[in-house]
Amino acid sequence: MAKGVSEPLSAVLIGAGQRCMIYASYAEKHPEELRILGVVEPDLERRKLAAARFGIEVDRCFDTVDQLTALPRFADAAINGTMDELHVQTTIPLLEAGYDVLLEKPIGVTEEEVLELKRTADAKGRTVMICHVLRYAPFYTAIRERIAAGEIGEVVNIQTSEHVSYHHMAVSFIRGKWGSQEKCKSSMLMAKCCHDLDLITWLNGDARPIKVSSFGSLSHFRPDKAPEGAGTRCLTDCSIEESCPYSAKKNYIEQGRWGFYVWNNHHLGAKLSTEEKLESLRTDNPYGRCVWHCDNDVVDRQSVIIEFDNGSTASHNMIGATPKACRILHIIGTKGEIEGVMEDGHFVVRHPDPRQGHNYTEEHVKLSITDDGHGGGDLRLVEDFVKMLRGDQSSVMSTTLDQSISGHRIGFAAERSRLEGQVILL
C-alpha cells in the first residue's frame, strides 16, 4: 500500500522475539516513518511486554495469526520474526489477509514451501521482503558497487567464510534453538549461512547457480569428544568448568553475553538476579548444559562449492567455534580482486601492475560502521522496506522474495549434497 509522504507506515509484529524487536526499534527511532499497531505472540508475558513497549492496544494483541487475520486488516504490513519452521505457515495467511511482510530469514525450511510462498505472494500481489540484512551492511554494499562499476572486470571466483565464535556456536547451535535440525527443521547452513549464500548470488550479478556440492559433519560437539572431567551441566557435575571456554557461568553471567537467548524475555526488559540466573543454569535452563552432552545434531563445520551458468565458481566455508567471529570475503575478477573481513571495517582492491619493480596496486577502502547489528545492515533493511511500501524506488540491495530464492536453493541443494554424497544439479 503506497502511503502519503507525511503518514507513517503501520505494522503488526508476528512474534516478539529478539530479531523482531530489533526491526521494530526502527519505529522508536523514526516514529514519523513507522508505527507498531499490533502484536501476535503466544507467550503472555512477552506479549504484554511488547505491547507496553510500543503502546499497543489490548484489542490488537493476539495469541495466533489466525486471530489477527480473522479481523479486518488494520495495518499496512507485518514484521514476521517467528522461528524458521513457522515462517511460511504464518506468512501465507498474512498475505491472504492483505498484509505485506518483512520476513526473517531463512524464508522457509524446504524449497517446496519457499516456492509455495512465492506463488501465494504473486497471486495476491503482495510484497515479501526477506531479512538478508548483510546486503545493507556498508562493507558489502560498497563492494557490490565496485563490482557493478566494472572495477575488477567479470567475476571469476567468489570465496566466503563465516567463522562462528565459540560462544555463539554454543548458545545458538549447540545448546540453543538452532542446535537440532530435527526440532527446528533448519540445517546449520540455512540457519546461519543463508546470508552468505545470498551474498554470493547477489555479488555475482545476473549469474544463476547450476551445480552445488557440499561436505561437512558434526565432528566435535558430541559425547565421545567430551574432555575428561566434563559433566552434563556446567554448574552441577562438571570438574573442568573453571577452565572450560564454554562455561555457562563465564559466558552468560560473568561476560553477560547472549542474555536475549539465555534469560526469558531479557530483550524486553525482564530482569533476574545473579542468584536466580545461577539457579536457572543449575536446574532447567537448556543453556546450562555441557556442550558435549546436548541434543544437538547440526554440523559444526561445512564447505560448499557452487558453479554458475556464466562459468564462475564460488565456495563458502562455515567453521564453528572459532576464537574470533568474522565473515571473510575474496572476489577475483578478470581485471582485479577485492578482499576483506567485514568486522575489520575495510577492504582492499587490487589490480595487476606490470611496471618494473611492481606486481600489483592496492587501494585500501575504509568504511563507517555503525553500532546496529550485522555491520550496520539491520535498520537499513527496515528503512528500505518502508520506502518500498511507500512506493519509492527500492535500492539495489533490495531483498524481495524473487531476489532471495537463488541463495536458498543453493543452501537446500548443499544439504542434499552433504547427505547424499553427490553433486546436485539445479
Side-chain angles (χ1 to χ4, degrees):
M1 174 190 299
K3 304 289 287 186
V5 173
S6 60
E7 188 178 355
L9 192 80
S10 56
V12 179
L13 305 179
I14 312 299
Q18 183 253 356
R19 290 305 300 166
C20 220
M21 290 302 106
I22 288 175
Y23 301 133
S25 72
Y26 189 86
E28 297 171 318
K29 295 177 172 64
H30 303 281
E32 76 285 357
E33 296 182 21
L34 179 65
R35 292 183 301 162
I36 306 301
L37 298 185
V39 59
V40 176
E41 170 55 61
D43 182 281
L44 177 60
E45 180 186 13
R46 184 170 290 191
R47 186 166 69 247
K48 287 181 176 179
L49 289 169
R53 175 171 171 177
F54 293 100
I56 300 170
E57 300 293 333
V58 174
D59 62 352
R60 290 184 173 178
C61 297
F62 309 95
D63 292 340
T64 67
V65 167
D66 287 344
Q67 291 177 358
L68 167 68
T69 56
L71 299 177
R73 180 171 61 87
F74 60 82
D76 303 302
I79 301 174
N80 191 340
T82 56
M83 280 295 289
D84 303 8
E85 72 273 21
L86 300 177
H87 286 177
V88 171
Q89 63 181 270
T90 54
T91 298
I92 285 179
L94 293 167
L95 300 177
E96 292 173 338
Y99 292 91
D100 295 305
V101 179
L102 180 64
L103 178 61
E104 178 63 313
K105 60 78 191 170
I107 301 168
V109 296
T110 67
E111 184 170 353
E112 292 72 23
E113 69 169 9
V114 169
L115 296 176
E116 179 188 3
L117 180 62
K118 175 173 164 41
R119 287 191 294 270
T120 303
D122 290 345
K124 298 297 178 181
R126 304 258 54 97
T127 295
V128 180
M129 182 179 282
I130 309 306
C131 295
H132 282 310
V133 291
L134 289 183
R135 289 195 191 190
Y136 294 84
F139 177 82
Y140 292 107
T141 57
I143 289 174
R144 174 68 155 69
E145 289 168 0
R146 297 287 181 123
I147 296 171
E151 289 195 26
I152 62 169
E154 297 177 7
V155 171
V156 173
N157 178 263
I158 300 175
Q159 303 162 33
T160 61
S161 293
E162 180 169 11
H163 295 188
V164 184
S165 74
Y166 63 97
H167 52 84
H168 192 178
M169 187 75 193
V171 80
S172 292
F173 307 104
I174 301 174
R175 293 169 170 144
K177 294 183 287 186
W178 294 275
S180 169
Q181 185 168 355
E182 181 181 354
K183 292 182 177 180
C184 80
K185 310 306 179 186
S186 278
S187 66
M188 173 73 179
L189 194 66
M190 293 304 294
K192 189 72 184 81
C193 300
C194 68
H195 282 311
D196 307 272
L197 302 179
D198 176 70
L199 287 169
I200 287 173
T201 64
W202 184 58
L203 294 170
N204 209 357
D206 295 329
R208 301 188 70 81
I210 58 172
K211 294 179 185 178
V212 177
S213 63
S214 183
F215 311 90
S217 64
L218 173 59
S219 298
H220 184 56
F221 296 101
R222 59 193 202 197
D224 62 303
K225 293 296 183 73
E228 186 176 353
T232 59
R233 298 188 74 86
C234 297
L235 298 183
T236 58
D237 58 355
C238 181
S239 64
I240 62 169
E241 183 271 328
E242 288 188 0
S243 62
C244 180
Y246 301 100
S247 161
K249 180 182 177 182
K250 285 191 182 74
N251 283 290
Y252 312 139
I253 295 180
E254 294 174 3
Q255 293 275 26
R257 293 176 174 140
W258 305 106
F260 51 83
Y261 286 151
V262 179
W263 317 118
N264 193 37
N265 294 328
H266 177 274
H267 66 291
L268 288 167
K271 301 293 184 184
L272 292 174
S273 68
T274 299
E275 185 48 48
E276 287 173 325
K277 290 178 179 180
L278 287 167
E279 180 62 17
S280 173
L281 293 175
R282 290 187 197 106
T283 55
D284 60 350
N285 192 322
Y287 296 96
R289 296 175 296 167
C290 172
V291 293
W292 288 280
H293 294 98
C294 287
D295 58 352
N296 56 304
D297 57 34
V298 300
V299 302
D300 50 26
R301 66 207 67 185
Q302 188 165 357
S303 297
V304 182
I305 303 172
I306 309 148
E307 183 180 355
F308 289 85
D309 60 2
N310 64 354
S312 64
T313 56
S315 62
H316 176 68
N317 289 307
M318 184 287 296
I319 305 98
T322 60
K324 176 185 176 181
C326 64
R327 277 185 160 98
I328 303 169
L329 176 68
H330 194 166
I331 306 173
I332 300 171
T334 54
K335 297 180 180 178
E337 62 183 343
I338 299 174
E339 184 177 16
V341 178
M342 182 184 76
E343 290 75 8
D344 292 348
H346 62 86
F347 60 86
V348 179
V349 183
R350 298 189 187 93
H351 292 101
D353 185 353
R355 294 175 298 160
Q356 186 174 357
H358 296 77
N359 284 320
Y360 52 82
T361 61
E362 277 192 349
E363 176 190 1
H364 291 258
V365 181
K366 293 185 177 181
L367 304 161
S368 175
I369 304 297
T370 60
D371 60 359
D372 67 273
H374 291 98
D378 284 348
L379 297 188
R380 286 181 173 89
L381 168 90
V382 184
E383 179 183 20
D384 203 36
F385 181 64
V386 170
K387 286 181 177 179
M388 178 181 291
L389 296 196
R390 282 185 176 280
D392 298 342
Q393 183 175 359
S394 59
S395 71
V396 70
M397 292 87 75
S398 182
T399 59
T400 58
L401 194 54
D402 283 349
Q403 296 159 321
S404 301
I405 285 178
S406 286
H408 275 59
R409 293 192 71 208
I410 292 171
F412 294 132
E415 192 62 7
R416 277 187 58 201
S417 172
R418 183 183 75 84
L419 294 172
E420 297 173 10
Q422 61 180 325
V423 175
I424 304 298
L425 305 181
L426 297 181

